[in-house]
Amino acid sequence: MTSSPWLVHKFGGTSVANADRIANVASILTNDHKGKTAVVVSAMSGVTDALLGLLESARTRQDGVYDQIDTLRKKHLDAIQALVPPDYRTELVAAIQADFHDIEDILRSVWITREYSPRTRDFVSGLGEVWSSRFLTARFRSQGIEAVWLDARQILVVEPTTSTPNILWEPSQKKMQDFLSSVNPDWMVITGFVAQTDDGIPTTLGRNGSDYSGSIFGKLLQAGSVTIWTDVDGVMSANPKQVPGAVVIPEMTYEEAVELAYFGAKVLHPSTMAPVMESGIPIYIRNTFNPSFPGTRIFTTSKTDNGSVVTGFSTIDKVALINVEGTGMMGVPGISARLFSALHEKSISVILISQASSEHSICFAVPENQANQAKKVAEHAFFSEIHHGKISSVTIEHHCSILAAVGESMSGKPGISAKFFGALGKAGVNIRAIAQGSSERNISVVIDADETTKALRAAHSGFYLSDQTLSVGLIGPGHVGTTLLNQIASESARLKSEFGIDIRIRGIISSKKMVLSNHGVNLSKWKHDLDQSETEPDLQSFIKHIHADYYPHSVLIDCTSSADIAGMYVDWLRAGIHVITPNKKANTAAYSYFEALRNEGKQIQKHFLYETTVGAGLPIIGTLRDLVQTGDQIIRIEGVLSGTLGYLFSSFNGKVPFSQLVKQARDFGYTEPDPRDDLSGMDVVRKVVILGREIGLKTEVVDIPVENLVPPSLRKGSIEEFLAGYSVSDEAMAARYEEAEKNGQVLRYVGVIDPTGQSRVELRTYPKDHAFARIQGSDNIVAFTTRRYEKQPLIVQGPGAGPEVTAAGAFADLLRLSAYLGGVL
């Protein structure tokens, strides 16, 4: 029976930055102990740089070198004091003090000679890992865990090179087996970063060497897994500092991880994965500060299904693009070989290559700091061709970045490039060069450095977010706004699962506070979050947040009645934001503004939806628009367009004075706080203007004759004064009722839209068998008399007021918008 495999854990400098964090590492490992455990640790954060700084300070004879030594010594002695009880300190303190005495001797020599060798540098810079690994070992032992400390310089044999050292696997493997046979440990703490040469001289693995150590010891121990513990939750789909919507990738292949690492993903270095790739050992990337999170698994295969064929995006910054052009290159063998051989001889790193099929040009990307040298090398390599005019130019485009889309599932999938380039095109990002490997695992583009974040966000949203993901901001969480948020909360999960519509309320703003969220406000407690918010309302920053370029579509829903806010709609549309509103002020402003709203929406394909401005949730505007667009001729539109006035006149029977009925309606909440806002008829006038403009009338609010049911003497003054004096109208209103009753008619307050321009708002009489006579409560009713519906008008009737139906209408507009954007409902 074979023993369980080793589980290798590697902790970086931030994970062991101080005593508390080293103690946390010990806690993580003991709480999650599942078998033989090997722990590879980096130096405490900043220590390696500090050690190298000591050498430089001594070489340049800077004052304060010994103060720097004392500071570093104290840092480590304090850590011992905090980490382990007195019984475990003596040997450890003595070892640390001895190392610092050695450092002092070395620095004294460097001070005198004003130089130090690579061997000296490697010895000194590797001490940080020695110390931190000793500390963790002592911490384990003080807790009763028989951990063995392993100095990697005893085991790991390497052949130094100008870049990453070559691992001498055979002698290293033998040393590892001999060590395990001699101690047979269940716990090991291993120094990262350090190694020895074949002749036993201490050396290091170079920058990022600690992660590499973790992978190397994973192979030497034939581990079941290697876990790299860092300060992020895993490999992200993009840099979260640039793309707030970036997510952790649960699983990915080695090849995907190598591609992302090469293109700037900071979690892993490409060389880190080589040993485990050869041995087929899975790597886990996990967060020391969030140990319960599973992180990212990297293996030969991946089961990740994030709905996107692209696994992630990454960038390389500070890049320049060199372009070599000339007709003399066409059909000439060896041109590329000459160019890249010349660059190789000067150790110039070529990051990306692209060549036109005509062979008229070759462009390649290099680090910005090598651009001028690369140009000179190319010019020298092709001196003869340039002299004879066969190569016309060698030019540099500075200040570039490379954006790469990486994914194993991209291979063989049509349309990936189109989607990638389309997302960048919609964002207005210019692509300067393109490269794609034959594996189709990577598509890379060169772009202007100033557009890196915009491009990354656009590409990420294009693949990671559905075309139906809506970034929504709600302005005015009053009765209608609150009801709308509750309706969205109850239906959003169903809409996403059944139709792929992803509605994200990313901000809510009132006149006093606002709440913002990158991924979406929690609608189960939005009111609590808004009440507790300490963020002052700032409409401009609110709009900027909603209109994030890492979301495919932005929508603002205005649930206020503010003319000032309505006056911003044109600017919002121009900025590329869709607008939905029950606010009538925009559509009844000056006709020039209404026309601008229409034109802007058409020109930039952004939608302005306002079905709820007439009839709340009733399909009045939609019905009228269908009639007009299908070529029907409008003869007349007539309707009871005020729920309040509809209620008052359907309830008025001559027995209760009209003024008393108004007071009762106000007490029931059926009127505006000031009933004069309803009785003036101006709400109906605005609806008449909106409907008139829908059929092409250039009507203004002041053009509509209106019968105001408030006597002139009561139009000013307080609400109380109005209510007390409104009985002055009772006699006249009773007389009109009696006259209508005598003629078998009813009173209804209506708006009439006449295409000839004779629109009006007034109290009229209708026969008792008329459709308008049959309405109940706060119903609205509209009759469309058209060429098709001349003998029998088309009737739309139903509740025309109240938060529930108004919110439902706005919700319907939101779903209508999704359909316009390609959603299937």
Side-chain angles (χ1 to χ4, degrees):
M1 182 177 176
T2 60
S3 60
S4 60
W6 283 91
L7 303 178
V8 175
H9 298 262
K10 189 275 165 180
F11 289 88
T14 57
S15 299
V16 292
N18 52 45
D20 287 342
R21 292 188 180 177
I22 294 173
N24 181 54
V25 166
S27 177
I28 289 172
L29 293 171
T30 52
N31 290 338
D32 195 36
H33 183 54
K34 295 176 181 176
K36 288 179 174 290
T37 301
V39 192
V40 180
V41 294
S42 297
M44 296 167 72
S45 184
V47 168
T48 301
D49 287 339
L51 289 167
L52 291 170
L54 287 174
L55 288 171
E56 275 301 297
S57 295
R59 185 184 68 81
T60 56
R61 295 189 176 183
Q62 294 181 20
D63 294 335
V65 174
Y66 288 98
D67 289 339
Q68 294 175 42
I69 296 174
D70 289 341
T71 299
L72 198 57
R73 180 191 286 114
K74 185 176 186 302
K75 175 185 177 78
H76 286 81
L77 294 177
D78 287 349
I80 294 172
Q81 187 83 12
L83 270 172
V84 296
D87 293 348
Y88 294 86
R89 292 177 192 161
T90 304
E91 181 181 350
L92 189 55
V93 169
I96 300 302
Q97 291 285 24
D99 286 339
F100 272 98
H101 288 314
D102 290 343
I103 292 174
E104 289 172 345
D105 291 342
I106 291 169
L107 293 179
R108 191 173 296 111
S109 172
V110 172
W111 183 283
I112 294 169
T113 62
R114 295 195 177 188
E115 66 176 4
Y116 56 87
S117 68
R119 289 183 177 182
T120 300
R121 181 198 61 221
D122 287 348
F123 173 78
V124 172
S125 64
L127 287 172
E129 276 74 11
V130 173
W131 297 333
S132 61
S133 59
R134 280 183 174 274
F135 293 173
L136 181 59
T137 305
R139 178 71 176 188
F140 280 139
R141 289 175 178 172
S142 71
Q143 295 176 327
I145 297 170
E146 292 301 320
V148 172
W149 177 64
L150 175 59
D151 186 340
R153 293 173 295 191
Q154 301 171 17
I155 303 294
L156 187 54
V157 184
V158 302
E159 179 185 21
T161 67
T162 55
S163 55
T164 304
N166 294 324
I167 309 302
L168 302 181
W169 290 106
E170 189 173 335
S172 298
Q173 189 71 66
K174 185 177 186 309
K175 288 176 180 290
M176 187 79 255
Q177 290 171 350
D178 290 344
F179 178 80
L180 293 176
S181 298
S182 66
V183 294
N184 191 27
D186 284 329
W187 288 79
M188 278 194 297
V189 181
I190 307 170
T191 57
F193 184 55
V194 295
Q196 65 164 305
T197 63
D198 197 26
D199 52 1
I201 298 171
T203 187
T204 70
L205 299 176
R207 286 297 186 180
N208 301 296
S210 290
D211 282 353
Y212 193 24
S213 296
S215 182
I216 291 167
F217 277 98
K219 181 174 179 177
L220 290 176
L221 292 167
Q222 300 175 25
S225 66
V226 173
T227 301
I228 308 292
W229 292 87
T230 181
D231 54 3
V232 294
D233 281 338
V235 181
M236 306 294 289
S237 56
N239 185 343
K241 293 180 180 178
Q242 294 174 288
V243 183
V247 296
V248 174
I249 303 167
E251 291 190 10
M252 62 196 309
T253 65
Y254 294 131
E255 290 77 10
E256 289 172 328
V258 167
E259 293 278 5
L260 285 175
Y262 177 77
F263 280 91
K266 304 300 183 185
V267 176
L268 279 175
H269 191 274
S271 63
T272 297
M273 286 171 280
V276 291
M277 287 176 67
E278 294 166 4
S279 303
I281 299 169
I283 302 176
Y284 292 86
I285 309 298
R286 297 181 65 185
N287 190 347
T288 310
F289 309 105
N290 186 17
S292 62
F293 194 82
T296 298
R297 180 179 185 263
I298 303 171
F299 195 45
T300 54
T301 58
S302 167
K303 299 177 183 178
T304 292
D305 181 11
N306 55 24
S308 171
V309 294
V310 174
T311 300
F313 297 88
S314 197
T315 59
I316 300 177
D317 299 323
K318 297 181 180 179
V319 168
L321 193 64
I322 313 293
N323 194 39
V324 182
E325 291 188 17
T327 56
M329 298 165 57
M330 298 169 65
V332 179
I335 291 289
S336 297
R338 285 170 56 194
L339 173 62
F340 295 117
S341 293
L343 293 168
H344 172 71
E345 287 177 7
K346 298 298 182 180
S347 299
I348 295 173
S349 175
V350 177
I351 305 170
L352 174 147
I353 304 167
S354 181
Q355 182 175 14
S357 58
S358 66
E359 301 182 19
H360 177 262
S361 67
I362 299 174
C363 69
F364 57 94
V366 298
E368 182 77 65
N369 59 9
Q370 294 185 316
N372 292 327
Q373 185 186 7
K375 182 176 184 290
K376 290 177 182 178
V377 168
E379 289 171 339
H380 184 266
F382 298 120
F383 176 81
S384 177
E385 285 83 354
I386 294 172
H387 180 70
H388 291 96
K390 293 182 178 180
I391 290 181
S392 57
S393 65
V394 178
T395 58
I396 305 175
E397 290 190 51
H398 292 283
H399 200 55
C400 296
S401 292
I402 298 176
L403 167 63
V406 174
E408 197 73 38
S409 300
M410 291 163 57
S411 179
K413 295 284 178 64
I416 301 302
S417 295
K419 191 169 185 178
F420 184 33
F421 302 147
L424 298 179
K426 288 178 182 177
V429 175
N430 182 47
I431 298 174
R432 298 185 176 187
I434 300 166
Q436 180 174 13
S438 59
S439 70
E440 301 183 61
R441 190 184 295 123
N442 179 317
I443 304 173
S444 299
V445 296
V446 180
I447 57 176
D448 188 275
D450 291 337
E451 296 185 320
T452 302
T453 298
K454 179 168 68 171
L456 188 57
R457 290 177 172 184
H460 189 273
S461 69
F463 283 92
Y464 263 81
L465 296 178
S466 158
D467 286 342
Q468 304 314 311
T469 300
L470 306 178
S471 171
V472 181
L474 186 133
I475 304 170
H479 292 310
V480 173
T482 293
T483 306
L484 175 58
L485 290 170
N486 293 338
Q487 289 178 356
I488 292 172
S490 66
E491 297 298 325
S492 58
R494 180 183 64 84
L495 289 170
K496 187 172 183 180
S497 63
E498 294 185 16
F499 304 107
I501 298 172
D502 186 1
I503 300 172
R504 302 194 186 183
I505 307 295
R506 299 184 59 250
I508 302 168
I509 186 170
S510 70
S511 60
K512 297 179 179 178
K513 296 182 177 183
M514 69 179 180
V515 61
L516 306 174
S517 170
N518 279 330
H519 299 289
V521 175
N522 185 343
L523 292 183
S524 66
K525 62 183 190 72
W526 70 265
K527 187 172 286 188
H528 171 270
D529 290 347
L530 184 63
D531 289 342
Q532 297 301 312
S533 173
E534 297 181 358
T535 306
E536 294 289 327
D538 181 339
L539 192 57
Q540 293 309 310
S541 63
F542 178 84
I543 293 166
K544 183 178 180 180
H545 173 82
I546 300 302
H547 190 40
D549 54 13
Y550 49 93
Y551 277 86
H553 308 291
S554 304
V555 188
L556 288 170
I557 303 178
D558 174 22
C559 290
T560 73
S561 59
S562 167
D564 290 339
I565 291 178
M568 301 178 189
Y569 294 175
V570 168
D571 291 336
W572 295 350
L573 291 172
R574 285 175 182 162
I577 306 170
H578 305 286
V579 180
I580 294 171
T581 186
N583 185 345
K584 292 179 279 292
K585 299 298 173 59
N587 277 356
T588 57
Y591 186 82
S592 59
Y593 184 74
F594 170 80
E595 192 173 36
L597 277 173
R598 287 289 188 85
N599 291 339
E600 286 297 330
K602 290 177 182 177
Q603 289 174 10
I604 62 175
Q605 297 183 321
K606 297 303 171 186
H607 297 279
F608 172 45
L609 302 177
Y610 48 88
E611 180 68 72
T612 50
T613 56
V614 180
L618 296 178
I620 294 173
I621 292 176
T623 300
L624 176 57
R625 192 170 292 156
D626 289 344
L627 292 171
V628 173
Q629 291 177 351
T630 57
D632 203 353
Q633 180 183 348
I634 306 298
I635 297 173
R636 186 176 64 258
I637 306 170
E638 189 173 7
V640 176
L641 299 173
S642 167
T644 300
L645 294 172
Y647 167 79
L648 287 172
F649 286 103
S650 65
S651 302
F652 186 40
N653 57 13
K655 296 178 182 178
V656 177
F658 190 73
S659 63
Q660 188 63 35
L661 195 63
V662 169
K663 290 179 182 178
Q664 291 176 2
R666 182 176 183 271
D667 292 340
F668 293 151
Y670 294 164
T671 73
E672 293 294 326
D674 187 341
R676 288 173 292 190
D677 293 339
D678 299 298
L679 296 169
S680 69
M682 288 308 297
D683 179 63
V684 179
V685 168
R686 291 191 180 94
K687 294 172 182 176
V688 166
V689 169
I690 292 170
L691 295 176
R693 289 177 174 179
E694 286 294 320
I695 62 173
L697 300 179
K698 296 184 178 181
T699 310
E700 302 284 0
V701 169
V702 295
D703 297 334
I704 307 298
V706 56
E707 181 177 353
N708 192 328
L709 300 181
V710 181
S713 61
L714 295 176
R715 291 175 188 173
K716 294 182 180 180
S718 68
I719 297 172
E720 289 72 20
E721 289 171 340
F722 160 73
L723 292 172
Y726 192 47
S727 59
V728 70
S729 299
D730 287 344
E731 184 177 345
M733 197 63 75
R736 295 182 71 169
Y737 172 80
E738 290 169 3
E739 179 68 20
E741 182 70 20
K742 183 175 66 175
N743 295 322
Q745 297 177 321
V746 297
L747 293 173
R748 294 293 182 263
Y749 194 87
V750 299
V752 179
I753 297 93
D754 187 332
T756 64
Q758 302 302 310
S759 301
R760 54 205 176 276
V761 173
E762 61 188 4
L763 186 61
R764 306 181 77 181
T765 59
Y766 292 90
K768 289 186 177 181
D769 60 353
H770 193 279
F772 288 8
R774 296 194 296 271
I775 63 170
Q776 299 294 321
S778 61
D779 278 4
N780 278 192
I781 185 169
V782 177
F784 296 101
T785 303
T786 72
R787 179 172 53 81
R788 296 176 190 154
Y789 296 96
E790 186 169 5
K791 293 182 179 179
Q792 187 174 350
L794 175 62
I795 301 292
V796 177
Q797 178 181 353
E804 287 290 337
V805 292
T806 304
F811 197 177
D813 271 346
L814 189 58
L815 299 182
R816 193 173 293 112
L817 172 63
S818 179
Y820 292 158
L821 298 173
V824 179
L825 289 167

